[in-house]
Amino acid sequence: MSEERIWDVAIIGGGVIGLTCAFELSRRGHKVVVVERDQPGQHASRVAAGLLGTASLPVGEDDNIFPLKLDSLRRYPEYIAKVESIGRGSAGYRLEGTLWVARDADEDEQLQALHDKRIRLGLRSVRVEANEIFLIEPELTAGLVGGLRIDEDIQVDPRRLLERLKRGVNQTRVKVLTEHEALGGEFDESEDVWTVQLRSQQADTNTPPVQARNVLLTAGPWCDQIVDTSRQPGTSLSPAGVGPVKGQLLRLRGPRVIDRVVRSTTVSLAQRRDGELIVASTKEPEAGWSLEPTAEAREELLDRANGLLPGIRELEVEEHSVGLRPAVADHMPVIGPAGRRGLWIATGHFQHGILLAPATAHWLAEAIESGDVPAMLKPYGIDRLRQSSVKMEAAT
């Protein structure tokens, strides 16, 4: 077997997680190939809002992934600098922060609890009185009872970020196989090599397989179609493992009305520099694999947004976006070794894929290079879902 034909890492899935892992591994000197069943970044990554921070309501909802969220948020400045430099363009990175707002006393109590928690953790936030909200965001509705300003929060434009990543991986000599489906793989223990079988989506024919020392699965909710934790035919990570959670958001177009991210307990708003206004988002775990936008979701999002920004219905709805977020039952990601030598997985990031991309890529690269699981990744191992090992098998 010629070593020239063997990749260091084959990444199955070309969303923001897969591309960021490819970018990081290639920068470290590894030979990387990415296998994507469609075009890179065409699924949940492209639909994401890109509003990034560690705060969540209700308080405690994301406690289990808070350390990884904070680690990744702190990696973002260096990550963006590298991606924008090598990718030769802007990723829509902005530092204005988030203004959480409360519409009633109960929501204001939640904001106070969030503020208190952040102070205990050594993080910064500033309570905002009702009469100060207008000074920060003059277009917000009257009658809001309080707010919380979190200046460390950031935002990116996921579509611009994906374009920079795609250009960046090309610049770092990553090979990207588009419109190719990974059918499964076999591990040759004598050669210490995975052979991954591929099928072209265009011609519906098998193409030459990819051989790699390591295989990293980053195919979002589709990982269940390639991964089996029980070594028995016909089974997969489900129902304990990864599956789709449908999310819908709106992209509006109009004059500039807000400067920073504005969040309430029911909706998040952000406006890009070009005037695009994001209204995010629904969570529909019972919708399965449906990618159909619904009138009900559109009206729900507009109603929620109108409660914060009166007159928002007068803006043009430029796009009604739908994506499938990968999630497991405990809403924690699955990152790390996948039960066979040289087999790794990174999925289940749910609504935090854009935020967690830098930390996921950094710590997985550390694990692949050292063979040891870093402490940061240990809470997110696949063994918490099912105790048996994992193998690749043909997709159903």
Side-chain angles (χ1 to χ4, degrees), residues 8-38:
D8 294 325
V9 186
I11 298 176
I12 313 301
V16 71
I17 298 295
L19 291 175
T20 301
C21 288
F23 185 75
E24 176 69 15
L25 287 162
S26 180
R27 286 185 56 258
R28 292 176 179 229
H30 298 282
K31 294 191 301 180
V32 181
V33 59
V34 176
V35 179
E36 167 55 45
R37 62 190 298 166
D38 295 310

Short mmCIF file of all heavy atoms in Angstrom, two decimals, residues 8-38:
data_model
loop_
_atom_site.label_atom_id
_atom_site.label_comp_id
_atom_site.label_asym_id
_atom_site.label_seq_id
_atom_site.Cartn_x
_atom_site.Cartn_y
_atom_site.Cartn_z
N ASP A 8 -3.97 11.43 6.17
CA ASP A 8 -3.88 11.38 7.63
C ASP A 8 -5.27 11.34 8.25
O ASP A 8 -5.52 10.57 9.19
CB ASP A 8 -3.13 12.61 8.16
CG ASP A 8 -1.67 12.61 7.73
OD1 ASP A 8 -1.07 11.53 7.63
OD2 ASP A 8 -1.14 13.72 7.47
N VAL A 9 -6.18 12.17 7.71
CA VAL A 9 -7.55 12.23 8.24
C VAL A 9 -8.53 12.37 7.09
O VAL A 9 -8.35 13.25 6.23
CB VAL A 9 -7.74 13.41 9.22
CG1 VAL A 9 -9.13 13.35 9.85
CG2 VAL A 9 -6.66 13.43 10.30
N ALA A 10 -9.54 11.53 7.08
CA ALA A 10 -10.69 11.69 6.18
C ALA A 10 -11.86 12.18 7.01
O ALA A 10 -12.26 11.53 7.99
CB ALA A 10 -11.04 10.36 5.50
N ILE A 11 -12.40 13.33 6.64
CA ILE A 11 -13.52 13.94 7.37
C ILE A 11 -14.79 13.73 6.56
O ILE A 11 -14.86 14.13 5.39
CB ILE A 11 -13.26 15.43 7.61
CG1 ILE A 11 -12.02 15.62 8.49
CG2 ILE A 11 -14.48 16.10 8.26
CD1 ILE A 11 -11.62 17.05 8.72
N ILE A 12 -15.79 13.11 7.18
CA ILE A 12 -17.06 12.82 6.50
C ILE A 12 -18.07 13.87 6.93
O ILE A 12 -18.62 13.82 8.03
CB ILE A 12 -17.57 11.41 6.84
CG1 ILE A 12 -16.46 10.37 6.70
CG2 ILE A 12 -18.76 11.06 5.95
CD1 ILE A 12 -15.83 10.29 5.34
N GLY A 13 -18.31 14.86 6.08
CA GLY A 13 -19.24 15.93 6.39
C GLY A 13 -18.57 17.29 6.29
O GLY A 13 -17.55 17.52 6.96
N GLY A 14 -19.12 18.17 5.44
CA GLY A 14 -18.48 19.45 5.16
C GLY A 14 -19.27 20.65 5.64
O GLY A 14 -19.33 21.66 4.93
N GLY A 15 -19.85 20.57 6.83
CA GLY A 15 -20.45 21.75 7.44
C GLY A 15 -19.39 22.55 8.19
O GLY A 15 -18.18 22.33 8.01
N VAL A 16 -19.83 23.46 9.04
CA VAL A 16 -18.86 24.33 9.72
C VAL A 16 -17.93 23.52 10.64
O VAL A 16 -16.74 23.84 10.77
CB VAL A 16 -19.56 25.46 10.50
CG1 VAL A 16 -20.29 24.92 11.72
CG2 VAL A 16 -18.59 26.56 10.89
N ILE A 17 -18.44 22.45 11.26
CA ILE A 17 -17.59 21.63 12.12
C ILE A 17 -16.55 20.90 11.28
O ILE A 17 -15.35 20.92 11.59
CB ILE A 17 -18.44 20.63 12.94
CG1 ILE A 17 -19.41 21.38 13.88
CG2 ILE A 17 -17.53 19.70 13.74
CD1 ILE A 17 -18.74 22.19 14.96
N GLY A 18 -16.98 20.23 10.22
CA GLY A 18 -16.05 19.50 9.38
C GLY A 18 -15.01 20.38 8.73
O GLY A 18 -13.81 20.06 8.71
N LEU A 19 -15.44 21.54 8.20
CA LEU A 19 -14.50 22.44 7.55
C LEU A 19 -13.52 23.05 8.55
O LEU A 19 -12.33 23.23 8.24
CB LEU A 19 -15.25 23.54 6.81
CG LEU A 19 -16.03 23.11 5.56
CD1 LEU A 19 -16.82 24.28 4.99
CD2 LEU A 19 -15.11 22.52 4.50
N THR A 20 -13.99 23.39 9.74
CA THR A 20 -13.09 23.96 10.75
C THR A 20 -12.08 22.92 11.20
O THR A 20 -10.90 23.23 11.40
CB THR A 20 -13.89 24.51 11.94
OG1 THR A 20 -14.80 25.52 11.47
CG2 THR A 20 -12.97 25.13 12.98
N CYS A 21 -12.52 21.67 11.37
CA CYS A 21 -11.58 20.60 11.73
C CYS A 21 -10.55 20.40 10.62
O CYS A 21 -9.35 20.23 10.89
CB CYS A 21 -12.34 19.30 12.00
SG CYS A 21 -13.28 19.29 13.54
N ALA A 22 -11.01 20.43 9.36
CA ALA A 22 -10.08 20.29 8.24
C ALA A 22 -9.07 21.44 8.23
O ALA A 22 -7.87 21.24 8.00
CB ALA A 22 -10.86 20.25 6.92
N PHE A 23 -9.56 22.65 8.46
CA PHE A 23 -8.71 23.83 8.48
C PHE A 23 -7.64 23.71 9.57
O PHE A 23 -6.44 23.96 9.33
CB PHE A 23 -9.59 25.06 8.71
CG PHE A 23 -8.88 26.38 8.64
CD1 PHE A 23 -8.49 26.93 7.43
CD2 PHE A 23 -8.63 27.10 9.80
CE1 PHE A 23 -7.84 28.15 7.37
CE2 PHE A 23 -7.99 28.32 9.75
CZ PHE A 23 -7.59 28.85 8.53
N GLU A 24 -8.06 23.31 10.76
CA GLU A 24 -7.13 23.19 11.89
C GLU A 24 -6.11 22.08 11.66
O GLU A 24 -4.91 22.28 11.87
CB GLU A 24 -7.92 22.93 13.18
CG GLU A 24 -7.07 22.69 14.41
CD GLU A 24 -6.31 23.92 14.89
OE1 GLU A 24 -6.64 25.04 14.44
OE2 GLU A 24 -5.40 23.75 15.72
N LEU A 25 -6.57 20.92 11.24
CA LEU A 25 -5.67 19.79 11.04
C LEU A 25 -4.66 20.07 9.92
O LEU A 25 -3.48 19.74 10.03
CB LEU A 25 -6.46 18.52 10.73
CG LEU A 25 -7.20 17.91 11.93
CD1 LEU A 25 -8.29 16.96 11.46
CD2 LEU A 25 -6.22 17.19 12.85
N SER A 26 -5.14 20.69 8.85
CA SER A 26 -4.24 21.00 7.74
C SER A 26 -3.19 22.02 8.15
O SER A 26 -2.01 21.90 7.78
CB SER A 26 -5.05 21.51 6.55
OG SER A 26 -4.21 21.80 5.46
N ARG A 27 -3.60 23.02 8.92
CA ARG A 27 -2.64 24.02 9.40
C ARG A 27 -1.57 23.38 10.26
O ARG A 27 -0.45 23.88 10.36
CB ARG A 27 -3.36 25.10 10.21
CG ARG A 27 -4.18 26.08 9.39
CD ARG A 27 -4.75 27.18 10.25
NE ARG A 27 -3.71 27.87 10.99
CZ ARG A 27 -3.42 27.69 12.28
NH1 ARG A 27 -4.11 26.84 13.01
NH2 ARG A 27 -2.44 28.37 12.86
N ARG A 28 -1.89 22.27 10.91
CA ARG A 28 -0.92 21.56 11.74
C ARG A 28 -0.05 20.60 10.92
O ARG A 28 0.77 19.88 11.48
CB ARG A 28 -1.65 20.77 12.84
CG ARG A 28 -2.33 21.65 13.89
CD ARG A 28 -3.10 20.79 14.88
NE ARG A 28 -3.74 21.57 15.92
CZ ARG A 28 -3.65 21.30 17.23
NH1 ARG A 28 -2.92 20.27 17.65
NH2 ARG A 28 -4.28 22.03 18.11
N GLY A 29 -0.27 20.56 9.62
CA GLY A 29 0.58 19.76 8.76
C GLY A 29 0.03 18.42 8.34
O GLY A 29 0.74 17.63 7.70
N HIS A 30 -1.25 18.13 8.66
CA HIS A 30 -1.84 16.84 8.31
C HIS A 30 -2.43 16.88 6.90
O HIS A 30 -2.98 17.90 6.47
CB HIS A 30 -2.93 16.47 9.32
CG HIS A 30 -2.42 16.32 10.71
ND1 HIS A 30 -1.74 15.21 11.15
CD2 HIS A 30 -2.46 17.17 11.78
CE1 HIS A 30 -1.40 15.35 12.42
NE2 HIS A 30 -1.83 16.54 12.82
N LYS A 31 -2.36 15.74 6.21
CA LYS A 31 -3.01 15.59 4.91
C LYS A 31 -4.48 15.22 5.16
O LYS A 31 -4.76 14.21 5.77
CB LYS A 31 -2.33 14.50 4.08
CG LYS A 31 -0.91 14.80 3.67
CD LYS A 31 -0.41 13.80 2.64
CE LYS A 31 -0.46 12.38 3.18
NZ LYS A 31 0.04 11.39 2.18
N VAL A 32 -5.38 16.07 4.66
CA VAL A 32 -6.81 15.94 5.00
C VAL A 32 -7.64 15.90 3.74
O VAL A 32 -7.42 16.68 2.80
CB VAL A 32 -7.27 17.12 5.89
CG1 VAL A 32 -8.74 16.98 6.25
CG2 VAL A 32 -6.41 17.21 7.15
N VAL A 33 -8.64 15.00 3.72
CA VAL A 33 -9.65 14.98 2.68
C VAL A 33 -11.02 15.10 3.34
O VAL A 33 -11.26 14.51 4.39
CB VAL A 33 -9.56 13.70 1.82
CG1 VAL A 33 -9.74 12.44 2.67
CG2 VAL A 33 -10.59 13.72 0.69
N VAL A 34 -11.89 15.91 2.75
CA VAL A 34 -13.26 16.09 3.24
C VAL A 34 -14.21 15.46 2.22
O VAL A 34 -14.12 15.76 1.02
CB VAL A 34 -13.61 17.58 3.44
CG1 VAL A 34 -15.08 17.74 3.84
CG2 VAL A 34 -12.69 18.21 4.47
N VAL A 35 -15.11 14.62 2.70
CA VAL A 35 -16.12 13.99 1.85
C VAL A 35 -17.48 14.59 2.21
O VAL A 35 -17.93 14.48 3.36
CB VAL A 35 -16.14 12.47 2.04
CG1 VAL A 35 -17.23 11.84 1.16
CG2 VAL A 35 -14.78 11.86 1.73
N GLU A 36 -18.12 15.24 1.26
CA GLU A 36 -19.41 15.92 1.49
C GLU A 36 -20.45 15.40 0.51
O GLU A 36 -20.22 15.38 -0.70
CB GLU A 36 -19.24 17.43 1.35
CG GLU A 36 -20.51 18.24 1.26
CD GLU A 36 -21.46 17.99 2.43
OE1 GLU A 36 -21.00 17.97 3.59
OE2 GLU A 36 -22.68 17.81 2.16
N ARG A 37 -21.60 15.00 1.02
CA ARG A 37 -22.64 14.40 0.18
C ARG A 37 -23.30 15.43 -0.74
O ARG A 37 -23.84 15.07 -1.77
CB ARG A 37 -23.70 13.73 1.05
CG ARG A 37 -24.45 14.68 1.97
CD ARG A 37 -25.31 13.92 2.97
NE ARG A 37 -26.33 13.13 2.30
CZ ARG A 37 -27.05 12.18 2.91
NH1 ARG A 37 -26.80 11.88 4.17
NH2 ARG A 37 -27.98 11.53 2.25
N ASP A 38 -23.26 16.70 -0.38
CA ASP A 38 -23.81 17.76 -1.23
C ASP A 38 -22.68 18.75 -1.54
O ASP A 38 -21.65 18.37 -2.03
CB ASP A 38 -24.99 18.44 -0.53
CG ASP A 38 -26.16 17.49 -0.33
OD1 ASP A 38 -26.56 16.82 -1.31
OD2 ASP A 38 -26.66 17.40 0.80
#
